[in-house]
Amino acid sequence: MCLCGFAGSPALCFYLQLPNSLHNGYTHNIMQCEYYHIDAFTEKQFKGNPAGVCILEKELPQDLMLKIAQENGLAETAFVVKEYGRYRIRWFTPDIEMDLCGHATLSSAYVIKRFIEPSRQEVIFESRSGALTVTFENQLIKMDLPARMPVKTDLPEEIAGALSIQPAETYKARDYVLLYGSEDDVKNIRIDRKLFDGINLDTGGVCITARGRDYDFVSRFFTPQATILEDPVTGSAHCSLIPLWSKKLGKREMTAMQLSRRTGIIYCGNGSDGRVCVAGYACLYSRGIIETGT
């Protein structure tokens, strides 16, 4: 019996109750679900941002989803359940549940299109940030996400003291967005982790950005008090970067690069209805089964 649902069969997430004889007199419920490890915002393995994608038949308990995300050890794990023609999606870091994650949403859409419903031209995810529509243009995956235009603000001392280079301007939406004078500043900045972890930004982080030489703009993203300090490619941060740079550059269509060690390319569009288009490619690293007892 195939448990994984590959080769075009429906996604599976189910519980098996094993007899006492198999577990020394104890009865265990075993949960199994399809699991995919996807590299997002890249066309090559080992680049972009890795995300875990769990395809579920029904939603799991929140504490179990967090434990799975911790065990995966990736920046984000998405948990996806099909409901009434749409998909409910939740995102977990190894530390907390997130309000929005771009690269794990892009990865989930990639999995659905390639392995679950290849004929789909559109996937709608229901999330904590509302309905997120994803469309496919050949291999390019285009996400319609809420714009979060940042506003000018002061930089908290805990953040300023942790930066080896100070920004020219500071903005804030969910995340702090720090504007720098050059791409080299973004590349070369160093973070004092001990000082940086003195502030808790909940689901937010600190995005540093500048005009790019080969791209319209570049960025990096850091999260204080997080297991993973620097996020390789942060789709949700572009919900703020896109409207900000669109206004500064006078452009609606832009291409951006995130300058982490892995790097990633983001194709950006600024809409007129409070939405942004965050697009990119993805590729499969691995797939298999998660099995855990309850």
Side-chain angles (χ1 to χ4, degrees):
M1 175 184 177
C2 176
L3 298 179
C4 61
F6 297 148
S9 60
L12 297 179
C13 171
F14 51 84
Y15 291 87
L16 302 175
Q17 188 169 58
L18 300 185
N20 291 351
S21 59
L22 296 183
H23 286 292
N24 299 321
Y26 293 96
T27 299
H28 289 262
N29 290 324
I30 302 299
M31 185 281 293
Q32 294 182 321
C33 71
E34 290 184 32
Y35 175 72
Y36 300 81
H37 179 137
I38 306 297
D39 290 337
F41 294 113
T42 181
E43 296 179 83
K44 298 179 180 180
Q45 289 180 338
F46 314 115
K47 295 286 188 180
N49 200 352
V53 178
C54 294
I55 303 297
L56 309 176
E57 187 176 78
K58 62 180 181 180
E59 190 166 285
L60 302 178
Q62 181 168 319
D63 64 337
L64 179 56
M65 289 189 282
L66 181 59
K67 287 177 181 177
I68 291 171
Q70 291 169 342
E71 188 73 12
N72 291 343
L74 301 175
E76 302 272 354
T77 298
F79 296 86
V80 179
V81 183
K82 188 173 184 181
E83 291 183 341
Y84 308 108
R86 297 187 175 192
Y87 286 86
R88 183 149 42 92
I89 188 168
R90 294 175 71 177
W91 311 277
F92 286 79
T93 74
D95 305 297
I96 60 172
E97 181 174 6
M98 291 295 292
D99 63 329
L100 179 64
C101 177
H103 86 278
T105 302
L106 186 141
S107 297
S108 299
Y110 172 88
V111 169
I112 291 167
K113 176 67 172 176
R114 180 173 174 185
F115 297 105
I116 310 300
E117 296 187 82
S119 63
R120 279 240 185 194
Q121 296 304 311
E122 177 183 274
V123 175
I124 300 176
F125 293 103
E126 295 292 345
S127 77
R128 287 178 60 182
S129 292
L132 310 175
T133 300
V134 181
T135 55
F136 306 93
E137 186 176 294
N138 296 318
Q139 301 302 310
L140 185 67
I141 303 169
K142 304 172 74 172
M143 301 182 290
D144 177 68
L145 303 180
R148 293 170 168 174
M149 182 66 175
V151 297
K152 274 197 170 183
T153 189
D154 295 324
L155 185 62
E157 291 182 5
E158 297 92 335
I159 298 175
L163 304 174
S164 63
I165 306 171
Q166 295 302 305
E169 299 175 20
T170 301
Y171 298 83
K172 190 172 189 309
R174 180 195 70 177
D175 310 310
Y176 281 94
V177 179
L178 312 185
L179 186 65
Y180 281 83
S182 72
E183 181 174 317
D184 288 337
D185 285 345
V186 175
K187 284 183 177 179
N188 296 328
I189 197 165
R190 296 292 181 266
I191 306 293
D192 184 322
R193 182 76 190 261
K194 185 176 181 180
L195 294 176
F196 194 58
D197 284 347
I199 191 168
N200 186 325
L201 300 179
D202 193 24
T203 59
V206 177
C207 182
I208 64 175
T209 186
R211 290 190 68 162
R213 286 190 287 267
D214 300 319
Y215 298 88
D216 290 297
F217 62 90
V218 296
S219 68
R220 292 173 70 187
F221 191 91
F222 302 91
T223 306
Q225 300 184 10
T227 299
I228 298 173
L229 173 62
E230 181 171 7
D231 194 40
V233 192
T234 316
S236 61
H238 287 74
C239 293
S240 295
L241 291 171
I242 290 172
L244 178 65
W245 280 112
S246 178
K247 182 177 180 180
K248 286 185 174 295
L249 299 177
K251 300 174 69 173
R252 285 198 176 275
E253 303 294 325
M254 297 166 288
T255 306
M257 173 172 272
Q258 195 149 330
L259 296 175
S260 65
R261 179 181 57 83
R262 293 174 63 103
T263 71
I265 298 173
I266 306 97
Y267 301 94
C268 309
N270 192 36
S272 57
D273 55 354
R275 311 290 292 183
V276 294
C277 176
V278 178
Y281 295 94
C283 61
L284 175 71
Y285 173 69
S286 65
R287 56 178 175 162
I289 294 293
I290 288 177
E291 178 175 294
T292 182
T294 60

